[in-house]
Amino acid sequence: MTVPPAQLLWYLTAPDGPYPWEERGRWATDFDHLRHVAETIDRLGYYGALLGTGRDDGLTVAAAMAGATRRMRFLTAVYPGLASPAKLAQIAHTIDRFSGGRLLFNVVNGNDATLAQYGLHLGHDERYDFSAEYWDAFQRVYLGEPEPYEGSHVRLAGRGGADGPLSPWGSAVRPTPLWGAGTSPAGVAHSAGLLDVYLSFADTPRRLGEKFRRVGAEAAKLGRTLRYGTRLQIIVRETEEEAWEHAASLLRATSVETALELAKWNLPEPIETYRSQDPLVNRRLEALRSGRLPDVRDLEIYPNVWTGPSLFGFDVVSPSSGTYLVGSAENVAARIREYQEHGVQSFILSGFPLIAEAHRVADLLFPLLDLDHGFEIPSLRAGA
């Protein structure tokens, strides 16, 4: 089976440090440090980087780093509704023109608590209805369509004059590509109808491929074809022994209190009462309840796939962003190729500290993989 070249993205989000999930392992991440990370990602030839939700605004970071880089793309998380879709189109078009078309959007629909902090109060399924309309309006404005937009949630006046959010001379060949996720029935329907790239937290290769095929079948009903990506942390070394020793050091640096707090996010009920059908999962839980972390290899759920010191992904309930690839360059490359065979093209990777681990991955892993570095960037009509 022929698979497309892999796109490897890195991480451009604070905080940084050797193990930033613990305060003692976290560095202050200022503008100069983020710029250094971006310059490293760009120079080494990564396809781009994820700018996640957090303390810093992703669009501001992308705009600030565009001038310090030449090739990398900025996958920027956006909650629909925090800005008018017309205003977002204006911002996106500006960043795209000034960067040469290097902006990507990670569509984040959030949860009740997070959105309420921003003043948005929408139910679960209603969020997806609103999001679909929001991004449709965004794309129409971005492309320079002058007609008014009349929807259930979004209403925009026509933009025929030269002073609108995007005047006619600002029209472009294509809108900013949309990446994103969604696992519930409403989330899958939203993804199938809207996204260019469907993302999922990591799982075993086969289970992840099965998920992608289910989502792809829904997209096919609409006459659409999606590409697929996943999020993994990574520890790659010259030998298996070195890689697993570093994984063990991260586990030793993690407190039980931190592991318990993070594990709570991954379970459907309190950790004190949760019981899994998998005896291995229950053994890990009992270790936490007794005040100790499991052994490093007890958290390997598939060859070279490790759930990490946060214990995210330790059950099939909800694999999450703490899942790692761990091993020698040859074994990690083999695992990436296995994920590719199950449909993954884009890999959003990270390792800490960000700069040192970005170098390791580029030095050890890049030569072993067929990569799409993304250097050929389509021109926008307005700048052609």
Side-chain angles (χ1 to χ4, degrees):
M1 179 179 64
T2 302
V3 298
Q7 298 169 341
L8 301 190
L9 292 82
W10 201 243
Y11 202 54
L12 183 58
T13 304
D16 195 3
Y19 44 98
W21 50 90
E22 294 283 2
E23 185 175 356
R24 64 183 181 278
R26 189 181 310 141
W27 298 339
T29 308
D30 58 11
F31 177 84
D32 288 339
H33 183 80
L34 277 178
R35 182 175 59 188
H36 192 186
V37 175
E39 290 169 344
T40 300
I41 294 166
D42 193 62
R43 185 176 66 254
L44 292 176
Y46 286 87
Y47 185 84
L50 173 67
L51 283 62
T53 57
R55 186 181 72 174
D56 298 319
D57 175 69
L59 284 167
T60 304
V61 174
M65 299 302 156
T69 56
R70 296 185 299 117
R71 304 180 301 201
M72 66 171 287
R73 288 159 170 80
F74 299 93
L75 178 56
T76 307
V78 173
Y79 289 103
L82 299 191
S84 158
K87 185 60 180 178
L88 183 66
Q90 184 184 39
I91 295 169
H93 203 282
T94 303
I95 295 175
D96 267 338
R97 282 198 302 122
F98 292 171
S99 70
R102 293 190 283 132
L103 184 64
L104 309 170
F105 278 147
N106 179 22
V107 176
V108 181
N109 288 300
N111 55 58
D112 293 346
T114 301
L115 292 179
Q117 294 173 29
Y118 289 111
L120 295 176
H121 302 276
L122 298 170
H124 180 275
D125 289 2
E126 189 182 9
R127 286 203 298 271
Y128 289 110
D129 293 338
F130 169 71
S131 177
E133 199 171 280
Y134 179 93
W135 289 108
D136 180 48
F138 161 83
Q139 290 170 325
R140 291 173 185 273
V141 176
Y142 189 101
L143 291 171
E145 296 184 12
E147 295 83 5
Y149 190 93
E150 290 288 339
S152 299
H153 300 279
V154 177
R155 295 189 178 106
L156 302 174
R159 296 163 296 282
D163 296 328
L166 280 184
S167 52
W169 60 264
S171 60
V173 175
R174 52 116 184 104
T176 304
L178 302 181
W179 299 36
T183 301
S184 69
V188 168
H190 171 267
S191 300
L194 175 69
L195 300 178
D196 300 293
V197 180
Y198 179 78
L199 300 173
S200 174
F201 287 129
D203 203 327
T204 63
R206 183 173 299 279
R207 285 206 302 252
L208 194 58
E210 290 171 351
K211 179 179 183 179
F212 289 158
R213 284 186 287 275
R214 289 194 299 271
V215 176
E218 294 302 311
K221 294 176 184 177
L222 304 173
R224 305 188 72 246
T225 301
L226 301 176
R227 292 182 288 118
Y228 302 96
T230 192
R231 169 82 175 96
L232 285 155
Q233 299 201 62
I234 188 167
I235 299 171
V236 62
R237 298 292 187 269
E238 292 186 1
T239 68
E240 284 286 297
E241 292 75 16
E242 289 177 279
W244 284 105
E245 173 50 38
H246 184 66
S249 74
L250 295 182
L251 204 57
R252 289 193 295 269
T254 304
S255 68
V256 172
E257 292 74 19
T258 296
L260 281 167
E261 187 63 30
L262 294 173
K264 291 176 183 177
W265 288 88
N266 207 42
L267 295 175
E269 60 185 73
I271 193 170
E272 293 79 12
T273 59
Y274 180 75
R275 293 292 182 274
S276 171
Q277 295 181 350
D278 185 342
L280 182 57
V281 170
N282 287 327
R283 191 171 76 189
R284 297 168 188 159
L285 288 170
E286 286 304 321
L288 277 180
R289 294 184 189 114
S290 64
R292 62 181 179 83
L293 294 179
D295 294 335
V296 62
R297 295 304 281 259
D298 279 347
L299 299 175
E300 187 181 17
I301 60 172
Y302 191 79
N304 302 105
V305 180
W306 185 59
T307 63
S310 68
L311 306 192
F312 278 138
F314 66 80
D315 199 354
V316 298
V317 174
S318 178
S320 194
S321 60
T323 306
Y324 282 70
L325 288 175
V326 181
S328 66
E330 291 76 11
N331 286 341
V332 169
R335 200 60 57 235
I336 286 177
R337 286 191 288 269
E338 185 177 359
Y339 277 108
Q340 287 181 274
E341 290 169 0
H342 286 278
V344 181
Q345 182 179 4
S346 302
F347 295 82
I348 302 170
L349 306 175
S350 64
F352 296 102
L354 291 168
I355 291 173
E357 293 301 317
H359 276 283
R360 280 198 174 93
V361 169
D363 291 345
L364 297 174
L365 202 55
F366 280 20
L368 303 181
L369 296 169
D370 180 20
L371 296 179
D372 173 7
H373 294 282
F375 295 165
E376 294 298 322
I377 299 171
S379 297
L380 297 178
R381 183 183 299 157

